[in-house]
């Protein structure tokens, strides 16, 4: 979430900035009204709490004096102190109800303010171009040259079906639309891609291999920004029964459990940056997704990714963002896949991101570039939601910066390898980087 000071001190200016950069409408008037109520109630609640504490001390002193006064036969003074104590008790009881009501109302306002804050997207970095949608994205550079074919190009679905490797019909019978069964050498190639990516990021790029759960609780989803705004795009289940039952969510990306490993923690400066890599199943409902991307493996309910997550100091996150994106680029270069890097505009970034680079790979069947990796710097946005902090030389904790990126999407990498490496006879050339994981095979057919 954003720094609370931005919401408290000038909500009108914040609302304008969000409208201009994100197309997000913040009700500044409602926010100001709630904040005004909160301040007044907080002042009054503190007054009542202080008054209760002061009066309670007076009652204690008066009651403590009664036994001493009676022992010295100062009965009149003892009776007077008792009467005064009872009078103060009645006074405390009188404003006690007001204090209780104030505390309840103050909590309600805090819940309403938190609900507003949790629904506000991150603010773009100053280097992010303005734009409403993907048409405002800016190309940074390209690598590789798309291959020219002297035969009719097939898409990955036809290539897979021709060899019996990719079976959408069987998956549909098992699970419905947007699932795929992989068989034989194509299944092996899919596994080889994931192993190659993990080995590259761990052995050469310095990430720590991490295995994480694919079921997480609501707090974890809230911490990285999936909840409450994007609940419709999540798969969920219930663990336990009755009062002990609790909701668990299937992760849309390993970013969620990896980033939440530092939730509610203070990380010492000498441990930063933390760099983690995980290969995991990912699950997305893909609500509202239609058209060509629902055919084959481009956009599925279940897919695999090798995810990269970094946790850094605030003054190091920009450099870490460039480094992470370069790590993802190396994957595509080792596979010989032409790609381009895009700097996303303010209107096309994800909810939690302050700056994002997309890597887009060339797909011959579509004669266009398609996203295969997205690397985002979230600044302190997620850290504030998770209470994730670091302690510098001064000793005062401050929010860490969190970054995440696909390094890369395994299924989409498989699609790109199939289409770019296809031959006229339907065989597929195995990239050199994958051959050690394929028993030395140079092609699958």
């Amino acid at each position: 979430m954003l720094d609370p000071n931005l919401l408290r001190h000038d909500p009108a200016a914040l609302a304008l900035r969000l409208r201009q950069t994100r197309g997000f409408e913040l009700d500044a008037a409602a926010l100001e009204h709630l904040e005004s109520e909160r301040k007044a109630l907080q002042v009054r609640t503190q007054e009542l709490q202080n008054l209760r504490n002061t009066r309670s001390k007076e009652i204690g002193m008066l009651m403590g004096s009664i036994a001493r006064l009676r022992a010295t036969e100062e009965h009149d003074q003892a009776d007077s102190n008792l009467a005064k104590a009872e009078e103060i008790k009645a006074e405390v009881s009188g404003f006690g109800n007001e204090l209780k009501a104030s505390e309840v109302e103050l909590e309600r306002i805090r819940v309403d303010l938190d609900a507003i804050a949790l629904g506000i997207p991150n603010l773009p970095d100053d280097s992010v171009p303005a734009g409403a949608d993907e048409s405002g994205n800016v190309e940074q550079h390209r690598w590789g040259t798309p291959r020219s074919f002297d035969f009719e190009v097939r898409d990955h679905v036809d290539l897979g079906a021709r060899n019996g490797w990719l079976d959408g019909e069987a998956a549909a019978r098992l699970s419905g639309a947007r699932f795929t069964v992989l068989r034989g050498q194509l299944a092996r190639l899919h596994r080889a891609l994931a192993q190659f990516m993990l080995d590259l990021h761990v052995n050469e790029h310095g990430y720590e291999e991490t295995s994480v759960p694919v079921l997480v609780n609501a707090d974890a989803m809230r911490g990285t920004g999936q909840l409450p705004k994007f609940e419709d795009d999540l798969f969920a289940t219930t663990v336990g029964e009755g009062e002990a039952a609790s909701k668990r969510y299937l992760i849309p990306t390993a970013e969620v459990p990896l980033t939440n490993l530092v939730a509610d923690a203070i990380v010492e400066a000498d441990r930063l940056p933390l760099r983690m890599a995980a290969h995991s199943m990912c699950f997305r409902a893909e609500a509202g997704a239609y058209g060509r991307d629902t055919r084959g493996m481009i956009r599925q309910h279940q897919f695999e990714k090798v995810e990269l997550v970094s946790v850094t100091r605030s003054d190091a996150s920009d450099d870490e963002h460039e480094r992470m994106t370069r790590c993802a680029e190396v994957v595509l270069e080792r596979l010989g896949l032409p790609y381009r890097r895009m700097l996303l505009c303010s209107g096309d970034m994800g909810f939690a991101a302050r700056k994002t680079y997309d890597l887009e790979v060339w797909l011959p069947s579509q004669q266009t570039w398609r996203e295969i990796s997205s690397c985002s710097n979230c600044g302190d946005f997620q850290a504030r939601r998770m209470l994730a902090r670091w302690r510098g030389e001064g000793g005062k904790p401050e929010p860490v910066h969190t970054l995440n990126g696909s390094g890369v999407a395994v299924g989409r990498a498989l699609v790109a390898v199939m289409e770019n490496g296809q031959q006229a006879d339907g065989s597929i050339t195995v990239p050199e980087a994958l051959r050690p994981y394929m028993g030395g095979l140079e092609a699958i057919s």
Side-chain angles (χ1 to χ4, degrees), residues 138-185:
V138 178
E139 183 174 325
Q140 303 290 289
H141 62 252
R142 296 188 183 194
W143 184 91
T145 302
R147 175 185 166 196
S148 295
F149 293 84
D150 57 5
F151 57 87
E152 183 181 352
V153 173
R154 300 179 179 87
D155 71 6
H156 73 283
V157 179
D158 290 339
L159 287 167
R162 177 179 180 179
N163 294 289
W165 294 330
L166 191 156
D167 194 339
E169 292 182 1
R173 291 195 300 271
L174 294 171
S175 307
R178 297 191 217 170
F179 291 90
T180 300
V181 171
L182 297 179
R183 294 190 178 95
Q185 292 179 325

Side-chain angles (χ1 to χ4, degrees), residues 10 47 54 73 128 138 176 238 263 289 296 317 333 338-339 360 377 385 412 432-433 438 440:
D10 199 347
E47 288 177 350
T54 301
E73 298 188 353
V128 171
V138 178
T238 301
S317 66
E333 291 173 13
Y339 71 87
E360 298 179 346
N377 183 354
R385 299 166 77 102
R412 292 194 179 189
E432 287 189 19
M438 296 289 292

Side-chain angles (χ1 to χ4, degrees), residues 379-439:
D380 61 9
F381 185 83
Q382 293 176 326
R384 290 185 183 278
R385 299 166 77 102
M386 298 186 302
L387 295 180
R389 295 164 291 171
W390 72 285
R391 196 194 310 275
E393 293 180 0
K396 183 179 180 181
E398 63 176 273
V400 297
H401 278 202
T402 60
L403 303 93
N404 63 81
S406 306
V408 297
V410 181
R412 292 194 179 189
L414 180 65
V415 169
V417 167
M418 292 172 69
E419 293 199 5
N420 284 279
Q422 64 180 292
Q423 304 302 317
D425 62 358
S427 64
I428 296 167
T429 299
V430 176
E432 287 189 19
L434 298 182
R435 291 175 188 175
Y437 301 91
M438 296 289 292

Side-chain angles (χ1 to χ4, degrees), residues 52-69:
R52 179 187 60 188
N53 293 339
T54 301
R55 292 292 190 263
S56 295
K57 288 181 181 178
E58 291 180 13
I59 292 170
M61 292 176 63
L62 289 168
M63 295 302 292
S65 69
I66 290 173
R68 175 178 52 80
L69 290 170

Side-chain angles (χ1 to χ4, degrees), residues 79-347:
D79 291 342
S80 175
N81 285 5
L82 179 60
K84 190 172 182 180
E86 293 299 326
E87 182 182 334
I88 296 174
K89 285 182 182 179
E91 181 186 358
V92 170
S93 177
F95 64 69
N97 291 333
E98 181 187 354
L99 175 60
K100 184 176 180 180
S102 294
E103 290 173 339
V104 170
E105 183 65 10
L106 186 60
E107 181 60 24
R108 181 194 66 78
I109 291 173
R110 284 174 177 161
V111 168
D112 289 346
L113 286 170
D114 283 346
I116 292 174
L118 288 171
I120 299 174
N122 203 353
L123 289 169
D125 185 75
D126 291 339
S127 63
V128 171
D133 52 39
E134 62 182 14
S135 63
N137 298 343
V138 178
E139 183 174 325
Q140 303 290 289
H141 62 252
R142 296 188 183 194
W143 184 91
T145 302
R147 175 185 166 196
S148 295
F149 293 84
D150 57 5
F151 57 87
E152 183 181 352
V153 173
R154 300 179 179 87
D155 71 6
H156 73 283
V157 179
D158 290 339
L159 287 167
R162 177 179 180 179
N163 294 289
W165 294 330
L166 191 156
D167 194 339
E169 292 182 1
R173 291 195 300 271
L174 294 171
S175 307
R178 297 191 217 170
F179 291 90
T180 300
V181 171
L182 297 179
R183 294 190 178 95
Q185 292 179 325
L186 193 64
R188 185 179 185 183
L189 186 60
H190 184 264
R191 173 165 54 90
L193 279 163
Q195 291 177 307
F196 156 69
M197 294 174 201
L198 269 180
D199 286 348
L200 174 64
H201 293 312
V202 172
N203 298 332
E204 296 188 34
H205 297 156
Y207 288 85
E208 180 181 40
E209 184 171 352
T210 311
S211 180
V212 291
V214 296
L215 276 175
V216 297
N217 59 31
D219 286 342
M221 286 291 192
R222 194 175 296 112
T224 45
Q226 279 74 25
L227 289 179
K229 189 174 179 64
F230 302 105
E231 184 154 13
D232 289 345
D233 203 34
L234 302 173
F235 287 109
T237 187
T238 301
V239 177
E241 298 179 355
E243 294 183 359
S246 59
K247 203 170 188 179
R248 294 289 187 275
Y249 294 88
L250 287 162
I251 60 171
T253 164
E255 167 203 346
V256 177
L258 286 174
T259 308
N260 273 279
L261 289 175
V262 295
D264 297 310
I266 298 177
V267 184
E268 296 303 324
D270 59 4
R271 292 186 60 206
L272 299 176
L274 294 175
R275 295 181 178 129
M276 299 168 279
H279 168 225
S280 76
M281 289 285 188
C282 305
F283 304 87
R284 294 183 186 175
E286 297 288 3
Y290 301 98
R292 64 180 180 180
D293 284 353
T294 62
R295 181 174 185 265
M297 297 182 65
I298 296 293
R299 192 179 296 275
Q300 297 195 295
H301 291 315
Q302 175 186 310
F303 57 98
E304 295 179 36
K305 268 205 308 177
V306 172
E307 186 74 4
L308 307 177
V309 163
S310 293
V311 179
T312 75
R313 306 184 327 182
S314 55
D315 59 358
S317 66
D318 289 337
D319 289 341
E320 186 70 15
H321 190 205
E322 296 294 331
R323 182 189 186 279
M324 174 181 285
T325 307
R326 181 61 196 145
C327 290
E329 288 177 339
V330 171
V331 172
L332 302 179
E333 291 173 13
R334 296 282 180 90
L335 295 174
L337 298 173
Y339 71 87
R340 65 179 185 176
R341 182 199 284 200
M342 304 294 291
L343 173 60
L344 299 196
C345 69
S346 57

